[in-house]
C-alpha cells in the first residue's frame, strides 16, 4: 500500500482533469499511453492525480513513489510499491504466474516472494530481464482489467527506475494502460538526470506532457472559500486576506493551504518557516519522532522507527498519533511517511549539522545490529547512505563497496556506490584491506560496472585512472589487461585508436611461455583490425591468435579468435570457410553463454552479408534470448536486435523489423548499437513514407558522412539511409553525394554493403536522367562511367548477380535488362523491395505500347508493396495505374491515345493524384489524414493541396471543394 495524501482541496484544475480523462479514454480503447505531469513543488500534482483516481471505477490503480536518498537512489523503490499494490488486487500467485521464466527477477525485487511450495528456485536475475518481467506483469494485469500506473516524484527517481519506465512506455502497445508520472519542474537544474530522460520520452507519440500551473488570484480565492467552507464559514474570504495569501503563496496550493491553516497570526517571511509552524507546535516527543522520520527518508517502517527511537512503545505511538493528527505524517499498513515531501525537506533542513549526523548514525548503528530487518540489498544501500550522512568515512566506504557488489542492486546504483567508495578511499587508512583489492583494482572494478551499466564514456575515464596507477614495467600483465579494455571501449565509442591500444597490450604479454592472456589480447587485436574495416588484414592476426591459444591450451581464447576469423572470411564472401570456423568455435566453447552470444552476433551478420536473410534472423533471435539470460541485452542484445531487424527489412517484413528496432532502442543501448538501430528506423520510416520524421532522425548522423570513420561499417549504414531518404524526397543529386562518400571509403567497406549502395547510386542516376530539373549539378555521364568501373571492381572480389543486374537495368533502362533484373531478384531472398521497383520501372517502359502488360505488372507491384508497407512504391504503382485508366477514358472520349490530365471538359487540369487528394479535401480531411489514406507523407499531401488551390484559383479548401462539385471532378 502506498502513501496517499488526503484532505487537499482541488480548484482550477478542470482542464488538466479533462485531459487526463481523454488520455484514459484512449488507453481504455486498447492503446497504451503515458502522461508526464509536471509542476512546481506543492502545486497540486498529487491532488490532481488523487482526484482522477478517485473517479476510476473502471480501472485498477497501482501507485509507487520515488525516494530521495541523498543521491544514492535506491533502485526500483516505486516499482516494488506498484508490484505490492498489484498483489493486493490480484494475489501473489497470479503475479508469479505472469512473471513466467523471469520469476527470479521478480524475487530479486521482492525477496518476500515465494512459490506455493516454498522458496522459488534460484535463477538468473539481471537489469534487462527485470525491465521485461515488470513490463510483462503490467501487460498481463491490464489484459485482466484496464490499468492506471502512477509513479510519483520522478525527480527523485533512480536510474534503474527511469530505465524501466522508458522501456515500459515503449514496450506496452496495444493494451489498456495509462502510465502517469509526476515530477517537480523546479527541481530540474541544468544537469538533472531527469532532463534527458524527459526529452527522450517527448519524442514518442504515445507520450503527453501535462503541466500543472500555479493558481491565479481567483484560484486562490476559490481555494480559500473551499477551506473556509470546510471549517463552517459560509461567506466569501476577505479580499485583503486573498491578496495577502496570493502574494505570499505565489499561487502554490500547498502554501495557500498552509498559510490559511495558521490563522491570522504574524508569520515569518520564508515559507519554509511557515511549513514548520505546525511542527513547532508539537510536543517534544512528537518533534523528536518527526525529526527521526525526516532523517530516515520519505517512508519508514514502524519496526525500524521503534528500534531507533528512545521512546517507549506507548510514548512513540502517542507521538506518532500527535503528528498524524497535526496533518504532518500519514500512516499506511506498516509504516509512516510525510504528508508532503516539502514538509520532510523543511524538517530535515532545520536540523543542525551535528543533530542530523547523530540521527543518521543512530539509524546506521541500528541497521548494523538488525541484519534481518529488511532485505540484504536495501539494508546495505541504506547503511551506506546513513554512514555517509553521519560523516563516518570508514563505515560509509565499507558499506558502499558491500552494497555495490550485491547482484540485486541495480547496475547504475552500484556504479554510484563504487564511485563514492573511490572518493572516500583517501579518508580510510585500511581501505585496501576493507575492499579486498588495491585502489587501481577497485577503479577497474568500477569501470567494469560502468560498462555493464552502459556508461561507456565513464568506463573509459575510469580505465584511464586505473592505468595511471599501474607501472607497466613492474606490472605489465595488469597494464595489458587495462589497455585491452580501453581498446574495446574506444572502439565501442566509435573513436580512433583501438587497434593501436591492442597492439600495445599484446606487446606487454610475453610470447613465452604461452598464456591465455596473450591469446586473449591477440584475439582482441584481430577483432579491432576487422572492425576497422579490413577483413583481409584481420585474417593473419586471427590465425596468430588461434596458434597462441592452442599453444596455451586456452579453449575460450581460441574460440574467440576463430569467431573473428570466421567473421572476416564471411565478409570476403568465403561463406563455407566462415561457417566452418564458427562451428569449431561453438564446439570449443559453445557451452559458455557469452561465447555463444558472440558467435551468434557475428554469424548472423555474416549470413546477412551473404544473402542468407532468414537464417540471419533466426540466428540473431536465438542470440537475443541468450543475451537476456546473461543480463547483457542492453549491449549485445541491442546489437543482435539490429542484426535481426536488418535482414527483416530485406525480407520485406517491415512491421516485425520495426517492433524489434523499438524494443532495442527502449533498452537505451551504447552509442554504436543505438546508431545502428536508429538508422534502421530511419530506413523503415523512409520506406513507409514518414519522410519528416526520417529527416529529423538522419540530421543526427549526416555530419558523420564525410569522415574520417573510426568504425567504417557504420558509414555504409548512414550512407544507405541518407541516400534512400534523398531518393524518396526527389533529390537524386543528394542521394548520389551520399553514395560517393561510400565509394571514396570503399576499401574499408564490406562488398555486400557496397553493392547495394551502388544500386541506389544507379537509381539516383536513372532518376536524374528522367527528370533533369530535379538534378541540377548531376553529371549523369560521369556517374554512369564511375558505376561501370565500380561494378567491374566488385565483380572481381564478391559477385552479386541481383545487384549487378539492377545496376545494369537502371543505367540501360530497357525492357530486357529489367526482365533480367527481375529474374535475378527472384533467385535471392531480398531485398524484396526491389522486386516491385523493377516491375514499376518495366511497366513505365511498356505502358505506351502494351497497357495490359503494364497494368498486370503494376498490380503485382502494388500488391507486394502493400504487403510490405512500402508507401513510395504503392504511390508510384497506383499513380501509374490511374494514369493508364485516365488515358483509356480520355482516348475513348476524344478518339486519341491520350487526352492529358483533364478528365472533364472545361474543368481545371488536375493529375490523377491531385484528384485523389481533392476528393479527400472535399470530404473535410486534414493533410495528415490525407497522407495516411494515400500512403504519402503529410508534407507531400500539403504540397498537393497547395498545387490544387493554385490550379483552381482559390484560396481556401472549402472553395476548392465547391469548384470540384461545380465541375463534376468528384463524380
Amino acid at each position: 500500500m502506498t502513501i496517499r495524501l488526503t484532505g487537499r482541496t482541488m480548484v482550477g484544475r478542470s482542464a488538466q482533469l479533462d485531459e487526463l480523462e481523454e488520455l484514459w479514454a484512449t488507453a481504455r480503447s486498447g492503446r497504451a499511453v503515458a502522461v508526464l505531469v509536471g509542476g512546481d513543488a506543492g502545486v497540486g500534482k498529487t491532488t490532481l492525480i488523487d482526484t482522477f483516481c478517485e473517479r476510476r471505477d473502471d480501472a485498477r490503480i497501482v501507485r509507487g513513489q520515488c525516494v530521495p536518498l541523498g543521491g544514492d537512489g535506491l533502485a526500483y523503490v516505486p516499482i516494488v510499491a506498484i508490484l505490492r499494490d498489484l498483489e493486493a488486487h490480484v494475489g501473489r500467485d497470479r503475479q508469479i504466474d505472469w512473471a513466467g521464466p523471469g520469476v527470479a527477477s521478480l524475487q530479486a525485487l521482492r525477496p518476500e516472494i515465494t512459490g506455493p511450495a516454498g522458496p522459488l528456485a534460484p535463477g538468473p536475475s539481471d537489469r534487462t530481464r527485470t525491465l521485461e518481467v515488470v513490463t510483462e506483469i503490467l501487460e498481463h494485469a491490464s489484459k485482466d482489467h484496464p490499468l492506471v500506473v502512477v509513479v510519483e516524484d520522478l525527480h527523485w527517481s533512480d536510474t534503474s527506475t527511469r530505465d524501466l519506465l522508458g522501456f515500459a512506455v515503449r514496450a506496452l502497445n496495444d493494451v489498456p494502460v495509462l502510465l502517469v508520472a509526476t515530477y517537480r519542474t523546479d527541481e530540474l537544474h541544468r544537469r538533472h538526470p531527469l532532463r534527458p530522460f524527459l526529452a527522450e520520452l517527448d519524442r514518442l507519440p504515445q507520450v503527453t506532457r501535462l503541466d500543472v500551473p500555479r493558481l491565479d488570484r481567483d484560484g486562490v480565492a476559490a481555494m480559500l472559500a473551499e477551506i473556509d467552507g470546510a471549517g463552517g464559514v459560509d461567506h466569501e474570504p476577505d479580499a485583503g486576506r486573498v491578496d495577502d495569501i496570493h502574494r505570499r503563496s505565489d499561487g502554490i496550493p500547498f502554501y495557500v493551504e498552509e498559510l490559511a491553516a495558521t490563522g491570522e497570526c504574524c508569520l515569518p517571511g520564508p515559507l519554509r518557516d511557515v511549513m514548520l509552524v505546525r511542527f513547532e507546535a508539537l510536543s517534544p516527543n512528537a518533534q523528536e519522532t518527526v525529526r527521526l522520520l525526516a532523517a530516515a527518508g520519505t517512508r519508514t517502517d514502524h519496526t525500524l522507527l521503534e528500534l531507533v527511537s528512545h521512546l517507549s512503545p506507548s510514548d512513540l505511538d502517542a507521538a506518532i498519533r500527535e503528528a498524524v493528527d497535526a496533518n504532518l505524517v500519514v500512516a499506511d499498513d506498516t509504516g509512516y511517511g510525510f504528508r508532503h515531501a516539502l514538509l520532510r525537506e523543511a524538517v530535515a533542513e532545520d536540523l543542525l549539522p551535528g543533530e542530523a549526523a547523530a540521527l543518521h548514525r543512530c539509524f546506521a548503528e541500528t541497521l548494523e545490529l538488525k541484519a534481518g530487518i529488511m532485505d540484504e540489498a536495501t539494508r546495505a544501500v541504506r547503511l551506506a547512505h546513513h554512514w555517509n550522512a553521519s560523516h563516518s568515512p570508514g563505515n560509509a566506504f565499507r558499506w558502499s563497496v558491500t552494497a555495490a557488489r550485491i547482484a540485486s542492486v541495480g547496475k547504475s546504483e552500484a556504479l554510484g556506490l563504487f564511485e563514492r567508495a573511490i572518493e572516500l578511499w583517501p579518508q580510510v587508512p585500511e581501505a585496501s584491506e576493507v575492499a579486498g583489492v588495491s585502489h587501481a583494482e577497485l577503479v577497474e572494478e568500477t569501470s567494469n560496472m560502468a560498462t555493464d551499466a552502459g556508461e561507456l564514456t565513464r568506463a573509459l575515464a575510469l580505465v584511464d585512472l586505473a592505468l595511471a596507477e599501474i607501472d607497466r614495467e613492474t606490472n605489465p600483465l595488469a597494464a595489458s589487461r587495462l589497455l585491452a579494455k580501453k581498446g574495446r571501449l574506444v572502439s565501442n565509442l566509435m573513436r580512433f585508436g583501438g587497434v593501436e591500444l591492442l597492439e600495445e597490450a599484446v606487446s606487454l604479454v610475453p610470447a613465452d611461455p604461452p598464456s591465455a592472456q596473450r591469446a586473449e589480447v591477440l584475439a582482441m587485436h584481430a577483432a579491432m583490425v576487422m572492425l576497422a574495416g579490413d577483413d583481409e588484414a584481420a585474417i593473419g592476426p586471427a590465425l596468430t591468435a588461434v596458434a597462441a591459444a592452442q599453444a596455451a591450451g586456452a579453449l575460450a581464447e581460441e574460440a574467440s579468435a576463430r569467431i573473428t576469423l570466421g567473421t572476416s572470411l564471411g565478409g570476403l564472401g568465403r561463406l563455407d570457410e566462415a561457417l566452418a570456423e564458427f562451428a569449431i568455435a561453438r564446439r570449443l566453447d559453445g557451452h559458455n553463454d557469452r561465447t555463444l552470444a558472440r558467435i551468434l552476433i557475428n554469424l548472423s551478420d555474416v549470413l546477412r552479408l551473404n544473402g542468407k536473410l532468414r537464417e540471419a534472423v533466426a540466428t540473431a533471435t536465438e542470440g537475443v534470448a541468450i543475451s537476456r539470460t546473461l543480463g547483457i541485452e542492453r549491449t549485445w542484445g541491442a546489437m543482435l536486435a539490429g542484426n535481426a531487424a536488418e535482414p527483416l527489412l530485406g525480407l520485406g517484413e517491415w512491421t516485425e523489423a520495426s517492433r524489434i528496432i523499438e524494443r532495442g532502442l527502449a533498452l537505451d543501448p551504447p552509442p554504436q548499437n543505438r546508431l545502428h538501430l536508429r538508422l534502421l528506423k530511419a530506413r523503415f520510416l523512409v520506406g513507409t513514407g514518414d519522410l519528416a520524421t526520417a529527416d529529423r532522425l538522419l540530421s543526427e548522423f549526416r555530419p558523420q558522412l564525410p569522415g574520417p570513420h573510426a568504425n567504417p561499417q557504420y558509414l555504409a549504414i548512414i550512407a544507405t539511409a541518407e541516400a534512400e531518404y534523398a531518393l524518396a524526397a526527389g533529390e537524386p543529386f543528394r542521394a548520389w553525394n551520399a553514395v560517393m562518400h561510400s565509394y571514396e571509403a570503399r576499401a574499408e567497406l564490406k562488398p555486400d554493403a557496397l553493392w547495394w549502395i551502388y544500386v541506389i547510386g544507379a537509381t539516383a542516376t536513372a532518376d536524374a536522367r528522367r527528370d533533369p530539373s530535379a538534378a541540377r549539378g548531376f553529371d549523369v555521364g560521369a556517374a554512369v562511367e564511375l558505376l561501370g568501373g565500380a561494378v567491374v571492381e566488385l565483380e572481381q572480389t564478391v559477385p552479386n548477380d541481383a545487384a549487378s543486374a539492377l545496376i545494369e537495368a537502371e543505367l540501360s533502362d530497357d525492357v530486357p535488362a529489367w526482365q533480367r533484373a527481375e529474374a535475378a531478384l527472384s533467385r535471392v531472398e531480398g531485398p524484396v523491395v526491389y522486386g516491385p521497383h523493377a516491375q514499376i520501372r518495366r511497366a513505365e517502359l511498356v505502358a505506351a505500347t502494351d497497357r495490359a502488360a503494364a497494368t498486370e505488372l503494376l498490380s503485382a507491384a502494388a500488391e507486394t508493396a502493400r504487403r510490405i508497407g512500402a508507401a513510395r512504391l504503392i504511390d508510384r504503382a497506383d499513380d501509374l495505374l490511374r494514369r493508364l485508366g485516365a488515358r483509356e477514358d480520355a482516348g475513348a472520349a476524344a478518339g486519341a491515345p491520350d487526352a492529358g490530365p483533364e478528365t472533364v471538359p472545361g474543368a481545371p487540369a488536375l493529375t490523377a493524384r491531385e484528384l485523389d487528394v481533392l476528393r479527400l479535401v472535399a470530404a473535410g480531411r486534414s493533410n495528415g489524414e490525407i497522407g495516411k489514406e494515400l500512403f504519402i507523407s503529410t508534407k507531400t499531401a500539403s504540397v498537393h493541396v497547395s498545387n490544387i488551390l493554385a490550379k483552381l484559383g482559390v484560396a481556401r479548401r472549402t472553395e476548392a471543394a465547391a469548384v470540384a462539385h461545380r465541375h463534376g471532378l468528384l463524380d
Side-chain angles (χ1 to χ4, degrees):
M1 179 176 176
T2 51
I3 296 170
R4 308 283 196 271
L5 302 185
T6 58
R8 293 291 300 276
T9 302
M10 193 185 82
V11 297
R13 300 288 181 248
S14 57
Q16 289 75 26
L17 202 54
D18 288 347
E19 187 162 357
L20 284 173
E21 293 288 352
E22 290 174 10
L23 290 168
W24 174 237
T26 300
R28 279 204 70 198
S29 71
R31 183 158 62 89
V33 291
V35 57
L36 304 172
V37 182
D40 290 340
V43 82
K45 301 179 293 296
T46 299
T47 304
L48 172 66
I49 303 307
D50 283 347
T51 304
F52 169 74
C53 290
E54 287 166 5
R55 295 183 174 189
R56 298 275 69 79
D57 56 4
D58 55 353
R60 179 175 288 150
I61 297 166
V62 291
R63 301 174 72 149
Q65 186 173 23
C66 300
V67 176
L69 274 180
D72 297 326
L74 189 61
Y76 300 124
V77 167
I79 307 305
V80 172
I82 285 167
L83 293 173
R84 285 177 176 151
D85 251 10
L86 187 58
E87 181 182 306
H89 289 286
V90 303
R92 182 171 295 182
D93 290 345
R94 292 188 77 190
Q95 197 169 122
I96 292 171
D97 289 342
W98 290 340
V103 71
S105 294
L106 174 62
Q107 192 176 24
L109 287 172
R110 301 188 56 198
E112 74 273 16
I113 288 278
T114 58
L120 296 169
S125 173
D126 56 77
R127 170 190 174 278
T128 300
R129 192 63 190 128
T130 299
L131 306 186
E132 293 204 328
V133 166
V134 174
T135 303
E136 287 165 7
I137 288 172
L138 295 178
E139 187 170 342
H140 280 294
S142 70
K143 291 177 180 177
D144 182 65
H145 197 85
L147 191 65
V148 176
V149 181
V150 180
V151 180
E152 297 185 78
D153 297 326
L154 206 57
H155 50 280
W156 285 327
S157 61
D158 58 280
T159 304
S160 295
T161 293
R162 291 194 296 274
D163 288 346
L164 196 151
L165 291 176
F167 183 86
V169 168
R170 293 174 173 89
L172 292 169
N173 295 311
D174 300 326
V175 289
V177 176
L178 173 62
L179 177 60
V180 183
T182 70
Y183 65 96
R184 292 185 190 171
T185 53
D186 50 338
E187 291 274 355
L188 303 189
H189 53 76
R190 189 167 57 88
R191 294 189 175 183
H192 196 290
L194 189 61
R195 278 189 177 276
F197 176 75
L198 295 175
E200 187 67 27
L201 290 186
D202 263 344
R203 300 189 184 102
L204 302 177
Q206 65 269 42
V207 176
T208 299
R209 286 253 199 157
L210 181 60
D211 293 323
V212 182
R214 298 184 180 192
L215 298 176
D216 57 16
R217 186 190 180 282
D218 290 343
V220 171
M223 186 170 182
L224 289 173
E226 291 280 350
I227 293 169
D228 292 347
V233 178
D234 60 359
H235 57 76
E236 291 294 318
D238 177 75
R241 177 167 169 253
V242 172
D243 290 338
D244 179 62
I245 291 181
H246 178 237
R247 174 179 58 81
R248 300 175 71 184
S249 69
D250 203 20
I252 301 288
F254 175 69
Y255 296 159
V256 171
E257 189 174 5
E258 289 299 309
L259 288 165
T262 56
E264 299 297 328
C265 63
C266 182
L267 296 173
L271 284 172
R272 184 179 65 84
D273 293 341
V274 174
M275 288 186 285
L276 290 174
V277 168
R278 292 186 190 179
F279 168 75
E280 291 167 351
L282 296 175
S283 68
N285 280 355
Q287 286 192 24
E288 179 183 331
T289 302
V290 171
R291 289 191 185 100
L292 276 174
L293 290 171
T298 302
R299 185 193 175 283
T300 308
D301 278 346
H302 179 84
T303 303
L304 177 59
L305 185 63
E306 195 171 36
L307 289 169
V308 173
S309 175
H310 77 277
L311 298 176
S312 67
S314 59
D315 286 344
L316 179 62
D317 287 344
I320 294 170
R321 169 57 61 191
E322 185 180 350
V324 169
D325 290 344
N327 227 5
L328 291 169
V329 171
V330 292
D332 61 30
D333 292 342
T334 59
Y336 314 101
F338 280 84
R339 178 175 174 272
H340 196 289
L342 291 173
L343 284 169
R344 191 203 68 81
E345 291 178 19
V347 174
E349 290 172 7
D350 193 53
L351 294 171
L352 297 173
E355 225 178 353
L359 291 176
H360 283 291
R361 176 176 290 275
C362 192
F363 274 103
E365 290 173 346
T366 301
L367 288 170
E368 287 273 12
L369 295 172
K370 300 293 182 179
I373 198 168
M374 58 186 65
D375 68 88
E376 178 191 20
T378 302
R379 175 172 170 267
V381 170
R382 289 186 180 274
L383 275 163
H385 166 68
H386 286 303
W387 280 127
N388 190 58
S390 66
H391 311 300
S392 179
N395 288 317
F397 176 84
R398 173 167 58 93
W399 282 106
S400 292
V401 172
T402 300
R405 288 173 174 166
I406 295 174
S408 59
V409 172
K411 301 295 185 186
S412 298
E413 291 66 40
L415 172 60
L417 290 160
F418 270 133
E419 289 186 320
R420 175 198 283 157
I422 292 172
E423 292 174 6
L424 291 171
W425 184 288
Q427 304 175 52
V428 183
E430 69 285 3
S432 182
E433 290 76 12
V434 172
V437 293
S438 68
H439 185 267
E441 289 170 329
L442 183 64
V443 172
E444 184 179 354
E445 192 175 356
T446 307
S447 173
N448 294 340
M449 188 60 70
T451 301
D452 286 346
E455 301 293 338
L456 301 190
T457 302
R458 182 61 183 146
L460 181 59
L462 288 162
V463 166
D464 282 334
L465 181 61
L467 273 169
E469 297 185 27
I470 297 294
D471 186 330
R472 302 185 190 194
E473 295 292 329
T474 61
N475 198 354
L477 297 184
S480 175
R481 185 179 65 247
L482 288 165
L483 285 167
K485 288 181 179 180
K486 181 175 181 178
R488 185 170 61 243
L489 287 166
V490 163
S491 174
N492 288 342
L493 288 166
M494 297 186 291
R495 300 179 185 177
F496 290 97
V499 173
E500 293 76 13
L501 285 163
L502 264 298
E503 288 173 349
E504 186 178 357
V506 170
S507 72
L508 292 173
V509 186
D512 191 28
S515 66
Q517 183 171 353
R518 181 171 174 83
E520 181 182 13
V521 293
L522 282 168
M524 290 176 67
H525 172 250
M528 289 300 109
V529 174
M530 176 192 71
L531 291 172
D534 197 336
D535 285 318
E536 193 72 56
I539 291 175
L543 289 169
T544 301
V546 169
Q550 289 175 333
L555 299 184
E557 287 72 18
E558 182 183 348
S560 176
R562 288 190 181 277
I563 292 168
T564 298
L565 179 58
T567 306
S568 296
L569 291 167
L572 295 170
R574 297 158 62 177
L575 181 59
D576 290 341
E577 295 173 75
L579 294 177
E581 292 299 331
F582 285 119
I584 296 171
R586 194 161 191 165
R587 190 164 61 248
L588 288 170
D589 198 39
H591 59 278
N592 183 321
D593 282 343
R594 281 184 176 266
T595 299
L596 181 55
R598 185 168 172 240
I599 289 171
L600 297 174
I601 287 171
N602 290 272
L603 177 57
S604 61
D605 196 45
V606 164
L607 290 168
R608 178 189 61 81
L609 289 170
N610 287 273
K612 307 292 185 181
L613 303 186
R614 294 203 177 279
E615 288 183 54
V617 174
T619 302
T621 302
E622 180 187 355
V624 169
I626 292 172
S627 73
R628 289 175 186 159
T629 302
L630 294 173
I632 53 174
E633 193 179 11
R634 187 182 181 192
T635 49
W636 290 13
M639 191 181 304
L640 284 156
N643 284 8
E646 194 164 0
L648 282 169
L649 288 175
L651 289 165
E653 297 178 18
W654 289 6
T655 300
E656 177 63 10
S658 176
R659 186 191 68 80
I660 290 174
I661 289 167
E662 293 300 333
R663 191 84 167 186
L665 288 171
L667 297 169
D668 187 25
Q672 81 277 17
N673 308 130
R674 179 178 178 275
L675 178 147
H676 187 200
L677 289 166
R678 283 177 67 79
L679 287 168
L680 291 176
K681 179 176 182 176
R683 294 184 63 193
F684 168 78
L685 292 169
V686 169
T688 53
D690 190 352
L691 297 187
T693 305
D695 185 32
R696 288 195 300 272
L697 198 156
L698 285 168
S699 64
E700 177 182 344
F701 303 107
R702 287 181 181 124
Q704 300 179 39
L705 271 173
H709 307 99
N711 206 329
Q713 62 178 316
Y714 296 112
L715 165 63
I717 304 171
I718 297 171
T720 299
E722 170 66 5
E724 288 176 344
Y725 167 80
L727 281 181
E731 301 180 50
F733 188 48
R734 179 173 170 182
W736 178 255
N737 284 336
V739 171
M740 286 303 297
H741 285 301
S742 296
Y743 176 78
E744 290 162 0
R746 62 192 181 281
E748 300 175 326
L749 301 183
K750 307 279 187 187
D752 179 79
L754 280 173
W755 270 117
W756 295 108
I757 288 171
Y758 291 163
V759 169
I760 298 173
T763 304
T765 304
D767 285 354
R769 184 171 52 207
R770 288 163 177 250
D771 185 7
S773 64
R776 291 189 181 88
F778 200 138
D779 188 334
V780 172
V784 171
E785 184 177 352
L786 183 146
L787 286 169
V791 167
V792 170
E793 186 178 66
L794 270 181
E795 291 279 9
Q796 296 171 352
T797 55
V798 183
N800 186 320
D801 292 343
S804 179
L806 278 167
I807 293 169
E808 178 194 0
E810 292 284 19
L811 298 182
S812 62
D813 204 25
D814 60 47
V815 171
W818 281 112
Q819 288 173 323
R820 289 192 294 273
E822 290 173 61
L825 286 166
S826 71
R827 294 190 291 270
V828 297
E829 294 183 15
V832 171
V833 72
Y834 281 108
H837 170 74
Q839 290 172 319
I840 293 169
R841 285 291 210 215
R842 183 153 68 95
E844 290 171 337
L845 293 173
V846 305
T849 57
D850 191 343
R851 282 181 289 182
T855 299
E856 184 178 351
L857 284 167
L858 291 169
S859 297
E863 181 181 353
T864 302
R866 283 192 171 85
R867 176 176 60 79
I868 297 170
R872 181 165 172 259
L873 290 176
I874 295 169
D875 196 29
R876 287 171 57 199
D878 285 351
D879 186 58
L880 186 51
L881 279 168
R882 290 190 185 100
R883 283 192 283 128
L884 284 170
R887 281 200 295 271
E888 273 189 329
D889 293 343
D898 191 350
E902 184 175 289
T903 58
V904 178
L910 299 178
T911 67
R913 173 56 86 204
E914 288 169 345
L915 285 170
D916 291 336
V917 172
L918 180 56
R919 290 186 185 97
L920 295 171
V921 168
R925 304 288 182 83
S926 68
N927 290 343
E929 291 169 334
I930 292 170
K932 185 174 181 181
E933 184 153 337
L934 297 181
F935 300 96
I936 59 177
S937 69
T938 302
K939 182 178 179 182
T940 301
S942 175
V943 170
H944 280 311
V945 171
S946 297
N947 291 339
I948 291 167
L949 296 180
K951 288 183 179 182
L952 297 183
V954 297
R956 292 188 295 275
R957 298 161 80 103
T958 52
E959 294 172 342
V963 171
H965 283 293
R966 189 162 58 247
H967 287 282
L969 296 175
L970 306 181
D971 296 337

